[in-house]
Amino acid sequence: MLRVGIIGANGYSGIELIRLLHEHPHVTLNLIVSHSTSGTPITELYPHLQAIYEEQLETLDTDKMASQVDLVFFATPARVSKDWLPAFAEKGIQCIDLSGDFRLKDPDVYQQWYKAEHTNPAYLQEVTYGLADVYPEKVRRAHVIANPGCYATAALLGLIPLVEKKLISPESIIIDGKSGTSGAGRKPSLTTLFGEVNENVKAYKLGKHQHIPEMEQVLTEVSEEPIQVTFSTHLIPMTRGIMCTIYADLQEAYSAKDVIHTFESYYDSSPFVRVRPEGTWPSTKEVYGSNYCDLGVTVDERTGKVTIVCVIDNVVKGASGQAVQNMNLLNGWDVDAGLRHSPVYP
């Protein structure tokens, strides 16, 4: 059994990791860590774990933790793991970072978008970007994984096959993103108060979202030419879920059937990307609580544009579920180990 620890176990991504790891056939969850709530039983923060997992949150002690675990998940906010992850990696501990601290290769770009200087810039070149359904072989050979962002996961899964096969004009990409409130985490804020979110839809971080450079970095690598995207984000009154509706100009007169075939071929070996039949489009409820990404496609022959609708559960596929998928790849297990949950419906 692989011994696992979670740093930042008191947040939504951390608690989702606990749920998934508790049922995983190949791991034991040895240690849960939280700076702000150390000394507190996890059931005091999350009573639903009573009689399931009742361990106490501990303070981070790198030497102690390194002696007790083989793999560490960093379910921390941005600007935290950059200071701590190298200490574990250098001890031979597998590391999977769910924050944005190691996704970007250029420390100047990191500073621009995350508003902080990167304290371990050398690691930016060593870390593997863990978009598990696109780069499984790279992940298998890795030791330290940067788990993709939630919006980036949905958008990139909907764009990479079309960019790689050169079906769309790169300069025409527009991504309209919508997310539930859990993406903002559990820390109380005015933005996520019930009275602010209920019966309301808000645009936020227009042109300034930190997932923009992440998407552009990956798409540029795939296309081998610079790509910039227009990305808008909206907060909608639900707990879980992301929908990215993507628009782009087709390079030629492809039909919806052509585009769907491209997706089906590209994700043929991925059990977690489901491509909808022509004329049907997914909704967030249809992936709720699961590690699936569902894709739907339509082509407007009048305008020559393709629309791709991508939905994920932001806490699972957009965070903890993909992190477990990456752990499975790292350790040579079945990619869906511990993730064989059907979506929760209704």
Side-chain angles (χ1 to χ4, degrees), residues 13 19 24 63 108 161 165 213 218 233 260 268 294 342:
S13 295
R19 178 177 78 91
H24 199 286
D63 290 332
D108 294 332
K165 303 297 182 184
V218 174
T233 46
I260 289 170
D268 179 59
D294 284 8
S342 62

Side-chain angles (χ1 to χ4, degrees), residues 166-191:
K166 302 192 183 303
L167 268 65
I168 58 174
S169 301
E171 67 275 5
S172 69
I173 296 171
I174 298 173
I175 306 163
D176 182 297
K178 298 176 178 68
S179 176
T181 60
S182 58
R186 206 185 197 202
K187 187 176 180 179
S189 71
L190 176 65
T191 303

Side-chain angles (χ1 to χ4, degrees), residues 72-103:
V72 176
F73 291 101
F74 287 84
T76 54
R79 299 180 291 274
V80 174
S81 63
K82 63 183 175 62
D83 298 324
W84 295 101
L85 183 147
F88 289 95
E90 288 165 9
K91 295 178 186 294
I93 307 297
Q94 293 178 341
C95 298
I96 300 177
D97 181 24
L98 280 72
S99 81
D101 279 6
F102 292 93
R103 294 173 190 155

Side-chain angles (χ1 to χ4, degrees), residues 170-171 216 219-221 223-228:
E171 67 275 5
E216 293 179 345
L219 293 174
T220 295
E221 289 175 358
S223 68
E224 298 181 335
E225 60 179 289
I227 289 184
Q228 292 183 316

Side-chain angles (χ1 to χ4, degrees), residues 297-308:
V297 173
T298 186
V299 169
D300 188 335
E301 295 178 1
R302 184 179 62 87
T303 61
K305 292 184 182 295
V306 62
T307 301
I308 308 105

